[in-house]
C-alpha cells in the first residue's frame, strides 16, 4: 500500500509551497471515515484513496485535487456529508468531491439510467471545474488496476463503461498515458479471447521484435548524431488495444499484421523535428498518405507531433513519431499537468479554448432530457479524431473525422442544420453524406421548407447534429405513436366490449399510470403505440378497476400472438430453437419500464448472459434483445432502443458462435469436440474449411450458460497445440 509520505514527497518536488498540512489532514480524515472498511482484495479501503491521490500527484496537480482524491469516496461510502467536507476543507474541495460522487440516493428505473445520470452529473460539474474529471479518471484508473477482484459479469460491465466513456475522456484531456492503460485494461475483460491471443503472439515474437527495435534505434541514433542533432530515441510494440483496432480496420489476422512497432524521436527544437523527418525519409521510403503534421495543426487536446510511416531496414512498415521535449511532456500528461498546477484555482471549460468539445457537449445535453440517450450520444462523440474545415468567411470549424456537411451545418447553427437542403464543398455541389477532409471550404444551402431526415442519422458524426435530428424525429414520431396508441385502445376496447373513452374517465388514472410507469394519458397512448405496453394488458387493468370481468368475451384471456422469428433490425444466421425454449430463455431478461412484453433474442449477435445488452422495439412484435455493440443496433433508430438487463438465471442454454483457426492436421476436430463434450457444451451446427496454406477454419454454433463458461472453454481450446486462434465470432458490418 502506498504511504502518505511518498505522496507528500512527490507533491513537494513539483510544488514546494504545497499545503502539506491540508493534504495530511485529508489523509487522516479519510482514514477515520473509512476505518474498518475493506476492498474486495482484502486490503484496507484506505489503499484506494491513497492510490488515487498518488495518481493525481503523478499528474502534478494542485492541492485541491490531491485533497479531493483522498476524500472522493467519503460522501458516498461513509457517514460523512458534503456539508461536513465543505466545513473542514472549503468550498473548492467540496465542489470537486460532490462532482465526483455518484447519484446513488435517487430511484431510477434501471442501473443503466442511474449510470447515465451519474456521468451526466459529472460532465456538468466538469464544466465548472475540470479537476472533477481528473479526480474521476484517477479513481477509475485504480479501480481498473484492481478489477480482477470483481465478479466476472461486473468486470465486463465496468470495463465496457471505461472503454466507452473514461478512456476517450482521458484522450480528450491529452492524458495519453492514462488513456492507453485504461484501454488495455478494459480490452482484457471485454474481449479476453482476443487479448489472450495477442498476448501469446507478442510473447512468441518478443525476442525477434526486441532485436529489430534495437537495430532501428541504432540506425536512427547514428543518422541523427551525424546531423549534430540532440535527441532521445525510444521504440516499443504498440499497446494491445491499438493492435486489435488495427486488426479490425485492416481486416487482417495477427500473422499478417504490419506497422505495430512505433519509434519516438524526442528533440530540443521544432526545427529539429522537420530535420529528423527529412533524414528518416531519405534513409527509408515513406508510405504515401501516412504523414500527419500535428505540429502545424495540433489536435484539440493540444497534442503535437509529426507522424510518418516508412518502410524500415527490413522492408517492414514502422511508425515514427517526432516531437520536442515539451511536446512529449504534453503528450504524456496533457492538459492537466501543463497549466493546472501552474495557475491553480477553479478552471471552467468556457475559459479554455482546448475544451471546446466540452462546451459543445454541454450545449446539446441541455436539449436532451433522456439521460440514456445523452450517454449513447456521448459515447459516439468521444470516439473520434478531429478535422478542421472552413466557412466561406474563412472561419475554422473543428469536426470529428468522417463528419459531413450536415454536421458542419449544425456546427454553424441549429437552425442552419434543421433547414439544410444542400451543400457545396470547395465550390462544388456534393451529396449531404460526403465525408469532409481537413482544409475543405464548406457552404450550406438552406430552405425553410426542409426539415431533418431520418436518413441523416446514418451518416452524421457529431453529438449536436444527432441530438437535434433525434429531437425533431422524436417529436414527430411521438405524435404518431400517441395517435396510434389511442386508436388501438379504442378499437381493442370495442372488441372486448369496453367503451374506452368512457372508461378512461371513470378509472383511477393515478393507479393506472403507476401500474404502467407513465406520467400522463399521452404517455400511456405512446407506450401502446411503441409496443412498450400491450393494449390488452391496459384494457384488462381498466376492467379490473371498474369491476368488470377481465375475460369478458374471452378475448382478453386469449394467449398472446405467436412471436415472429424475424429479429429486428436483424436476424441473419443462427440455428433454430423452439418458441417455448426461446420464451423460457427470455425470462432471464428484465425490461426497463414494462412487463408482460413479448421478447426474443436476435440471431445476428446471439447475446448470452454476461453480455452488455440492449432492446430494440419491434412494433407489434415486442422487444428484440441484441448485444450493445451489434452493428445492427448501431445502425438502428435510436428512439426505438430500450434499456434491458439480465435478471435472474435460466438453466436453458444460449446459442453463440466461435471461430477456431488451426493447423490442418488429423484429430483437431476430435480434440475440439472432446473439450466441448467435457465442458457439457452442445454443438448446434458447424462448418469447417481448409485453405491452401495448411490452415483449417472452423465455425461452430455452441450452446452455453453464460459468458463465463464461454470464455473458459475458449481458453481450453486455445491451449490445444494445433490451434492458432480462438475468438468469439461477431457480426460483420452490413450483416443486418
Amino acid at each position: 500500500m502506498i504511504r502518505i509520505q511518498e505522496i507528500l514527497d512527490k507533491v513537494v518536488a513539483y510544488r514546494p509551497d504545497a499545503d502539506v498540512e491540508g493534504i495530511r489532514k485529508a489523509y487522516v480524515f479519510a482514514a477515520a471515515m473509512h476505518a474498518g472498511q475493506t476492498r474486495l482484495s482484502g486490503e484496507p479501503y484506505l489503499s484506494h484513496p491513497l492510490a488515487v491521490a498518488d495518481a493525481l500527484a503523478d499528474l502534478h496537480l494542485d492541492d485541491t485535487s490531491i485533497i479531493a482524491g483522498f476524500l472522493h469516496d467519503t460522501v458516498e461510502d461513509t457517514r460523512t456529508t458534503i456539508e461536513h467536507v465543505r466545513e473542514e476543507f472549503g468550498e473548492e474541495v467540496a465542489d470537486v468531491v460532490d462532482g465526483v460522487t455518484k447519484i446513488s440516493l435517487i430511484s431510477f428505473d434501471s442501473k443503466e439510467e442511474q449510470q447515465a445520470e451519474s456521468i451526466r452529473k459529472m460532465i456538468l460539474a466538469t464544466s465548472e471545474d475540470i479537476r472533477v474529471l481528473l479526480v474521476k479518471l484517477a479513481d477509475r484508473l485504480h479501480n481498473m488496476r484492481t478489477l480482477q477482484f470483481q465478479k466476472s459479469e461486473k468486470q465486463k460491465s465496468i470495463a465496457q463503461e471505461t472503454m466507452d466513456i473514461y478512456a476517450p475522456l482521458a484522450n480528450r484531456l491529452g492524458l495519453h498515458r492514462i488513456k492507453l492503460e485504461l484501454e488495455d485494461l478494459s480490452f482484457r475483460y471485454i474481449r479476453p479471447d482476443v487479448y489472450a491471443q495477442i498476448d501469446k503472439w507478442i510473447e512468441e515474437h518478443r525476442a525477434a521484435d526486441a532485436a529489430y527495435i534495437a537495430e532501428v534505434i541504432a540506425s536512427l541514433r547514428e543518422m541523427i548524431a551525424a546531423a549534430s542533432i540532440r535527441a532521445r530515441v525510444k521504440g516499443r510494440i504498440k499497446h494491445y488495444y491499438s493492435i486489435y483496432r488495427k486488426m479490425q480496420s485492416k481486416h487482417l489476422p495477427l500473422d499478417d499484421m504490419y506497422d505495430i512497432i512505433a519509434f519516438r524521436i524526442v528533440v530540443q527544437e521544432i526545427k529539429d523535428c522537420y530535420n529528423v523527418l527529412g533524414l528518416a525519409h531519405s534513409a527509408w521510403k515513406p508510405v504515401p498518405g501516412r504523414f500527419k503534421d500535428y505540429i502545424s495543426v495540433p489536435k484539440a487536446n493540444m497534442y503535437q507531433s509529426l507522424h510518418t510511416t516508412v518502410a524500415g531496414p527490413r522492408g517492414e512498415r514502422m511508425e515514427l513519431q517526432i516531437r520536442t521535449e515539451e511536446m512529449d511532456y504534453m503528450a504524456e500528461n496533457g492538459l492537466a499537468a501543463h497549466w493546472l498546477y501552474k495557475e491553480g484555482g477553479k478552471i471552467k471549460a468556457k475559459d479554455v479554448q482546448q475544451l471546446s468539445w466540452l462546451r459543445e457537449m454541454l450545449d446539446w445535453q441541455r436539449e436532451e432530457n433522456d439521460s440514456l440517450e445523452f450517454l449513447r450520444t456521448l459515447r459516439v462523440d468521444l470516439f473520434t479524431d478531429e478535422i478542421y474545415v472552413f466557412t466561406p468567411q474563412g472561419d475554422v470549424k473543428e469536426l470529428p473525422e468522417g463528419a459531413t456537411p450536415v454536421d458542419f451545418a449544425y456546427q454553424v447553427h441549429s437552425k442552419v442544420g434543421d433547414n439544410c437542403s444542400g451543400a457545396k464543398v470547395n465550390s462544388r455541389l456534393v451529396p449531404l453524406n460526403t465525408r469532409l477532409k481537413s482544409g475543405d471550404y464548406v457552404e450550406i444551402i438552406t430552405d425553410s421548407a426542409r426539415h431533418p431526415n431520418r436518413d441523416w442519422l446514418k451518416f452524421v458524426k457529431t453529438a449536436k447534429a444527432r441530438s437535434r435530428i433525434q429531437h425533431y424525429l422524436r417529436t414527430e414520431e411521438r405524435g404518431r405513436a400517441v395517435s396510434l396508441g389511442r386508436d388501438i385502445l379504442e378499437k381493442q376496447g370495442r372488441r372486448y366490449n369496453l367503451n374506452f373513452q368512457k372508461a378512461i374517465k371513470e378509472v383511477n388514472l393515478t393507479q393506472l399510470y403507476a401500474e404502467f410507469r407513465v406520467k400522463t394519458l399521452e404517455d400511456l397512448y405512446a407506450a401502446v403505440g411503441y409496443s412498450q405496453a400491450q393494449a390488452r394488458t391496459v384494457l384488462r387493468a381498466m376492467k379490473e378497476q371498474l369491476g368488470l370481468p377481465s375475460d369478458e368475451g374471452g378475448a382478453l384471456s386469449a394467449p398472446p400472438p405467436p412471436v415472429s422469428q424475424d429479429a429486428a433490425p436483424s436476424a441473419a444466421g443462427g440455428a433454430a430453437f423452439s418458441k417455448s425454449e426461446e420464451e423460457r430463455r427470455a425470462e432471464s431478461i428484465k425490461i426497463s419500464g414494462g412487463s408482460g412484453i413479448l421478447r426474443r433474442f436476435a440471431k445476428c449477435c446471439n447475446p448470452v448472459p454476461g453480455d452488455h445488452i440492449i432492446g430494440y422495439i419491434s412494433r407489434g412484435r415486442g422487444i428484440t434483445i441484441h448485444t450493445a455493440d451489434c452493428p445492427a443496433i448501431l445502425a438502428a433508430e435510436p428512439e426505438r432502443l430500450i434499456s434491458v438487463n439480465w435478471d435472474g438465471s435460466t438453466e436453458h442454454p444460449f446459442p453463440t458462435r466461435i471461430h477456431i483457426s488451426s493447423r490442418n492436421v488429423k484429430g483437431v476436430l476430435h480434440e475440439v469436440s472432446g473439450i466441448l463434450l467435457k465442458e457439457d457444451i452442445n454443438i448446434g451446427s458447424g462448418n469447417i474449411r481448409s485453405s491452401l496454406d495448411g490452415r483449417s477454419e472452423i465455425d461452430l454454433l455452441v450452446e452455453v450458460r453464460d459468458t463465463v463458461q464461454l470464455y473458459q472453454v475458449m481458453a481450453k481450446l486455445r491451449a490445444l497445440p494445433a490451434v492458432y486462434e480462438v475468438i468469439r465470432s461477431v457480426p460483420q458490418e452490413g450483416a443486418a
Side-chain angles (χ1 to χ4, degrees):
M1 189 165 73
I2 298 167
R3 297 180 182 276
I4 178 61
Q5 193 58 48
E6 296 174 44
I7 297 172
L8 292 174
D9 290 344
K10 279 186 184 179
V11 174
V12 172
Y14 68 80
R15 194 176 178 87
D17 59 344
D19 181 11
V20 172
E21 289 309 310
I23 296 173
R24 195 184 298 276
K25 177 184 175 182
Y27 163 72
V28 173
F29 185 90
M33 290 299 102
H34 291 296
Q37 295 180 348
T38 57
R39 305 197 86 215
L40 291 176
S41 62
E43 289 185 298
Y45 194 90
L46 186 61
S47 63
H48 175 61
L50 276 165
V52 172
D54 185 63
L56 294 167
D58 286 338
L59 290 173
H60 291 191
L61 297 192
D62 63 350
D63 304 342
T64 296
S65 302
I66 307 297
I67 292 170
F70 277 114
L71 306 176
H72 75 279
D73 273 342
T74 55
V75 174
E76 184 176 346
D77 294 334
T78 77
R79 64 182 183 277
T80 197
T81 64
I82 200 67
E83 288 74 23
H84 191 188
V85 172
R86 186 172 284 109
E87 290 171 8
E88 292 289 331
F89 298 96
E91 194 75 29
E92 279 193 10
V93 171
D95 286 346
V96 174
V97 172
D98 188 44
V100 176
T101 302
K102 295 176 186 174
I103 300 178
S104 55
L105 301 179
I106 304 174
S107 177
F108 294 94
D109 288 341
S110 67
K111 290 181 181 178
E112 286 81 0
E113 188 176 350
Q114 182 174 7
Q115 173 206 46
E117 193 57 37
S118 292
I119 291 173
R120 185 172 185 156
K121 175 195 172 187
M122 181 192 68
I123 293 294
L124 287 170
T126 298
S127 70
E128 293 299 315
D129 193 338
I130 196 66
R131 290 173 294 191
V132 170
L133 183 50
L134 296 172
V135 173
K136 184 60 184 179
L137 286 171
D139 169 54
R140 181 52 62 109
L141 181 61
H142 185 245
N143 283 334
M144 288 301 300
R145 287 172 175 172
T146 56
L147 195 59
Q148 69 269 28
F149 299 106
Q150 292 281 0
K151 292 181 180 178
S152 177
E153 186 173 335
K154 198 162 185 180
Q155 285 175 347
K156 188 168 184 180
S157 173
I158 293 172
Q160 190 67 58
E161 181 186 60
T162 302
M163 184 71 85
D164 290 349
I165 304 296
Y166 293 103
L169 283 172
N171 180 55
R172 289 286 191 164
L173 293 185
L175 304 175
H176 191 63
R177 174 174 51 82
I178 291 178
K179 173 242 185 188
L180 290 174
E181 186 173 356
L182 288 176
E183 284 181 341
D184 275 1
L185 288 169
S186 301
F187 179 47
R188 182 173 190 166
Y189 295 99
I190 294 170
R191 291 301 304 270
D193 53 337
V194 184
Y195 184 95
Q197 190 72 23
I198 293 174
D199 184 61
K200 178 182 176 183
W201 188 87
I202 286 177
E203 193 59 38
E204 290 172 349
H205 294 76
R206 189 174 300 279
D209 288 339
Y212 179 72
I213 290 171
E215 177 186 345
V216 173
I217 288 177
S219 297
L220 284 168
R221 284 175 176 166
E222 183 179 346
M223 71 174 69
I224 292 170
S228 300
I229 298 173
R230 290 173 55 203
R232 292 188 295 113
V233 183
K234 297 184 290 186
R236 62 170 176 82
I237 298 173
K238 291 186 177 181
H239 288 259
Y240 285 27
Y241 185 64
S242 299
I243 294 173
Y244 172 68
R245 289 186 65 185
K246 188 174 287 289
M247 289 170 60
Q248 294 293 96
S249 64
K250 302 296 183 183
H251 303 290
L252 292 173
L254 267 171
D255 287 334
D256 295 337
M257 286 292 293
Y258 55 84
D259 191 15
I260 65 170
I261 296 178
F263 296 88
R264 183 177 304 164
I265 303 108
V266 183
V267 297
Q268 303 302 308
E269 301 180 47
I270 292 179
K271 65 181 179 64
D272 292 335
C273 294
Y274 293 96
N275 289 335
V276 170
L277 177 70
L279 292 172
H281 282 183
S282 297
W284 299 307
K285 185 177 181 181
V287 177
R290 297 298 303 273
F291 170 68
K292 292 182 180 179
D293 186 348
Y294 294 119
I295 294 179
S296 299
V297 184
K299 289 188 176 184
N301 61 15
M302 301 192 300
Y303 175 86
Q304 288 184 287
S305 185
L306 298 178
H307 287 197
T308 187
T309 300
V310 298
R314 302 180 187 177
E316 295 182 354
R317 290 187 180 189
M318 62 183 190
E319 181 183 304
L320 304 180
Q321 300 171 358
I322 310 168
R323 61 184 69 151
T324 65
E325 290 284 0
E326 183 180 358
M327 293 172 190
D328 191 55
Y329 180 73
M330 276 296 304
E332 293 299 314
N333 300 295
L335 197 64
H338 184 66
W339 50 261
L340 191 56
Y341 78 93
K342 293 180 181 178
E343 299 183 12
K346 183 183 293 188
I347 306 297
K348 296 186 177 182
K350 66 180 181 180
D351 299 326
V352 185
Q353 177 60 34
Q354 288 80 6
L355 296 179
S356 59
W357 60 272
L358 182 56
R359 296 196 297 275
E360 286 290 330
M361 188 185 301
L362 293 168
D363 285 342
W364 61 257
Q365 76 87 28
R366 292 187 184 98
E367 302 174 0
E368 183 55 67
N369 295 321
D370 184 345
S371 295
L372 288 171
E373 181 56 36
F374 167 81
L375 185 57
R376 280 194 291 267
T377 312
L378 173 63
R379 284 175 171 141
V380 172
D381 203 43
L382 287 175
F383 266 113
T384 53
D385 290 325
E386 300 79 32
I387 61 170
Y388 301 89
V389 297
F390 298 89
T391 68
Q393 293 74 35
D395 296 330
V396 179
K397 295 292 181 182
E398 178 188 311
L399 291 168
E401 190 174 30
T404 65
V406 175
D407 294 294
F408 176 86
Y410 279 107
Q411 193 81 349
V412 173
H413 195 278
S414 296
K415 190 169 180 61
V416 175
D418 285 344
N419 297 139
C420 175
S421 62
K424 291 182 179 180
V425 175
N426 303 323
S427 302
R428 297 180 59 184
L429 279 171
V430 298
L432 290 178
N433 64 353
T434 300
R435 291 167 64 95
L436 300 176
K437 302 184 297 294
S438 281
D440 282 343
Y441 281 81
V442 186
E443 179 184 353
I444 299 300
I445 303 166
T446 60
D447 182 346
S448 59
R450 294 292 297 271
H451 299 291
N453 187 317
R454 183 177 300 282
D455 288 340
W456 291 1
L457 290 173
K458 297 176 181 177
F459 56 75
V460 294
K461 295 295 182 182
T462 60
K464 184 174 183 179
R466 183 170 295 276
S467 177
R468 287 291 306 178
I469 296 165
Q470 289 173 346
H471 175 74
Y472 176 83
L473 294 175
R474 271 201 305 272
T475 302
E476 294 291 304
E477 182 81 12
R478 181 176 169 82
R480 290 195 292 269
V482 168
S483 178
L484 175 62
R486 184 190 299 110
D487 289 346
I488 290 173
L489 287 167
E490 288 178 355
K491 290 177 181 177
Q492 294 279 38
R494 289 195 293 272
R495 179 182 173 191
Y496 302 143
N497 300 323
L498 181 71
N499 185 324
F500 176 76
Q501 289 300 339
K502 180 181 178 182
I504 203 68
K505 297 175 183 177
E506 299 174 359
V507 299
N508 183 333
L509 289 175
T510 302
Q511 180 181 332
L512 192 66
Y513 296 163
E515 184 171 348
F516 291 94
R517 304 177 84 169
V518 297
K519 296 179 180 179
T520 66
L521 186 57
E522 189 175 273
D523 290 342
L524 183 63
Y525 292 150
V528 174
Y530 280 127
S531 291
Q532 292 173 332
Q534 293 181 324
R536 62 191 185 90
T537 309
V538 175
L539 294 170
R540 181 186 290 119
M542 293 174 66
K543 295 186 81 171
E544 287 175 354
Q545 275 199 42
L546 297 173
L548 299 173
S550 62
D551 60 347
E552 186 171 326
L556 287 180
S557 60
V563 179
S564 169
Q565 294 303 304
D566 296 329
S570 168
F577 290 85
S578 68
K579 293 177 188 175
S580 59
E581 190 173 353
E582 174 87 1
E583 290 166 358
R584 286 195 294 270
R585 290 204 311 273
E587 292 172 1
S588 62
I589 296 295
K590 177 182 178 182
I591 296 176
S592 175
S595 59
I597 302 176
L598 298 175
R599 65 201 77 175
R600 61 191 179 283
F601 292 90
K603 303 301 186 294
C604 52
C605 52
N606 294 117
V608 302
D611 282 329
H612 186 44
I613 54 175
I614 195 165
Y616 180 88
I617 301 169
S618 310
R619 295 191 182 90
R621 296 181 296 155
I623 307 296
T624 303
I625 311 301
H626 289 258
T627 58
D629 57 356
C630 175
I633 279 294
L634 298 178
E637 300 169 22
E639 62 271 24
R640 292 173 68 177
L641 301 179
I642 186 172
S643 176
V644 295
N645 304 284
W646 297 107
D647 183 35
S649 61
T650 175
E651 296 180 357
H652 299 280
F654 288 74
T656 192
R657 302 184 188 93
I658 59 174
H659 174 80
I660 304 168
S661 180
S662 72
R663 293 201 309 273
N664 185 7
V665 295
K666 293 180 180 179
V668 172
L669 192 58
H670 176 73
E671 290 178 333
V672 168
S673 301
I675 288 178
L676 293 174
L677 177 63
K678 188 174 180 180
E679 296 298 316
D680 195 29
I681 293 176
N682 183 50
I683 301 175
S685 63
N687 179 52
I688 183 169
R689 57 195 181 279
S690 300
S691 56
L692 295 175
D693 61 357
R695 295 170 73 106
S696 289
E697 307 296 335
I698 306 169
D699 291 293
L700 300 176
L701 184 78
V702 297
E703 300 169 14
V704 297
R705 293 188 305 273
D706 51 31
T707 54
V708 174
Q709 185 188 32
L710 173 63
Y711 289 128
Q712 284 176 346
V713 77
M714 288 172 65
K716 293 182 179 180
L717 291 172
R718 196 176 294 116
L720 292 173
V723 169
Y724 296 123
E725 181 180 47
V726 183
I727 61 172
R728 183 177 177 185
S729 301
V730 294
Q732 299 296 315
E733 292 287 350

